[in-house]
Amino acid sequence: LLLVLYVGYLGLGAGVLQALERPAEVQAAQDLLQQHWELLANHTCLQGPALQQLIEGIIQAYKGGVTLQGNTTNLGRWDFSGSFFFSISAITTIGYGNLSPSTVAGRVFCIFFALFGIPLNLVLLNEIGQLMLLGVQHCAHHLEEVFHWQKKASLLIKTCALVTGLLLFLLLPPLLFSDKEGWSYEEGLYYSFVTLSTIGFGDYVIGMNPDRTYPGWYKNVISLWILFGMAWLALIIKFCINFLE
C-alpha cells in the first residue's frame, strides 16, 4: 500500500509538472530555433557548424565558471570564496550542478572529500538540531514553571519556534537575495527551499552573476544560513515523518 501511494504521488507530481512546464519548454525551443535561423540569415558570413561549435564552447566554458565580458573573460568561481561555497554544497549533498571539478585530480579529491565530509556534516546537523530542540524544550519547561501551564506552554513554544524558523530561514532571506541577486521574492523563496531541502536543482545559485559585485561577507553568511537552515528544516521533516508513520 505504501509503495502504491509512493508511486501514485510521483505520478501526480509528474502529471502536474508536465501540464505546467511542457508548454513553456516547447515555446522556448521554438524561440531558440527562430533566433538561430534569424542570426544565420542576417549574418551570411556565419556558417551553421561554426556557430554551433561556438555555442557549445560557450556552454562548456560557462559550466567551468568562465564568462565573456566584452573583450575579456570573467573568472571567480574557483577563488577561495567560490571553492568554499562549492565545498558546502558538496558535503551537504545540495549539489547545485552549475559547477563541478574539471580536472582528474579535482574529481578524485572531491570523491574522498565528500566521502568523509557527508558523515561529518550529518553529525553536525544532528547536533545543531538537538540543540535547537533542547532550547525549545527548555523554554517550554520554563514557561510551565512560571505560568503553571502544561500542554499550552509546549504548544506555544513550538509554534513560536516554527514561526521564527520560517522567518529566519525561508521568508526573510529572499529579501536579501532580491537585493544582492536581483531576483523576485518568489524566486528567492524558491531558491531558499530548494537549497535547505538539499534538492539543489542549480537553476538559481547565489553569487554567480558576473554583472554584479558581491560583498566579501555574502557567501560566508549564506553558508551559515544553509547550515542552520538545514538543521531546522530537518526537524520539520522529522516531524512530518513521525506524523506519516
Side-chain angles (χ1 to χ4, degrees):
L1 180 61
L2 183 61
L3 180 60
V4 171
L5 178 63
Y6 181 80
V7 174
Y9 191 76
L10 290 177
L12 174 64
V16 172
L17 287 172
Q18 181 183 17
L20 294 175
E21 298 295 331
R22 182 65 175 177
E25 179 189 35
V26 173
Q27 184 61 47
Q30 292 175 348
D31 292 343
L32 179 62
L33 190 60
Q34 181 67 25
Q35 293 173 10
H36 175 80
W37 289 117
E38 286 180 357
L39 182 63
L40 290 176
N42 295 331
H43 300 81
T44 54
C45 59
L46 290 176
Q47 299 295 322
L51 177 61
Q52 183 66 28
Q53 186 176 2
L54 174 62
I55 293 173
E56 292 175 356
I58 292 174
I59 292 173
Q60 291 300 320
Y62 181 79
K63 288 181 178 180
V66 180
T67 56
L68 287 173
Q69 286 185 322
N71 294 323
T72 62
T73 54
N74 177 65
L75 303 173
R77 290 193 181 184
W78 286 113
D79 57 9
F80 184 80
S81 177
S83 300
F84 185 83
F85 192 73
F86 172 80
S87 299
I88 286 282
S89 69
I91 68 173
T92 56
T93 70
I94 296 173
Y96 290 114
N98 69 309
L99 187 63
S100 58
S102 59
T103 64
V104 174
R107 290 168 180 166
V108 171
F109 172 78
C110 191
I111 292 173
F112 290 99
F113 179 76
L115 183 63
F116 294 99
I118 291 174
L120 177 63
N121 176 73
L122 292 175
V123 170
L124 179 61
L125 288 181
N126 182 62
E127 290 298 321
I128 293 175
Q130 291 301 319
L131 287 175
M132 289 180 176
L133 193 58
L134 285 174
V136 171
Q137 292 173 348
H138 177 74
C139 291
H141 182 68
H142 184 68
L143 280 181
E144 288 175 2
E145 291 181 342
V146 174
F147 298 101
H148 302 289
W149 293 343
Q150 294 181 353
K151 294 183 178 180
K152 290 182 178 179
S154 178
L155 180 61
L156 177 63
I157 293 300
K158 288 179 179 179
T159 302
C160 290
L162 176 62
V163 172
T164 302
L166 283 172
L167 287 172
L168 290 178
F169 301 120
L170 285 180
L171 300 180
L172 292 180
L175 299 177
L176 176 63
F177 300 140
S178 296
D179 178 58
K180 299 301 179 185
E181 304 289 343
W183 298 340
S184 67
Y185 184 85
E186 175 272 327
E187 290 172 327
L189 181 63
Y190 167 77
Y191 167 78
S192 298
F193 181 78
V194 166
T195 294
L196 298 184
S197 61
T198 72
I199 296 173
F201 290 122
D203 48 352
Y204 289 91
V205 184
I206 60 106
M208 295 299 174
N209 191 340
D211 297 325
R212 288 182 172 266
T213 302
Y214 301 99
W217 53 264
Y218 183 51
K219 285 188 176 181
N220 296 329
V221 169
I222 297 304
S223 297
L224 288 175
W225 166 74
I226 289 175
L227 191 62
F228 286 92
M230 284 181 61
W232 171 80
L233 192 58
L235 289 177
I236 303 300
I237 293 175
K238 184 177 180 181
F239 172 78
C240 295
I241 291 174
N242 292 334
F243 175 77
L244 288 174
E245 287 181 341

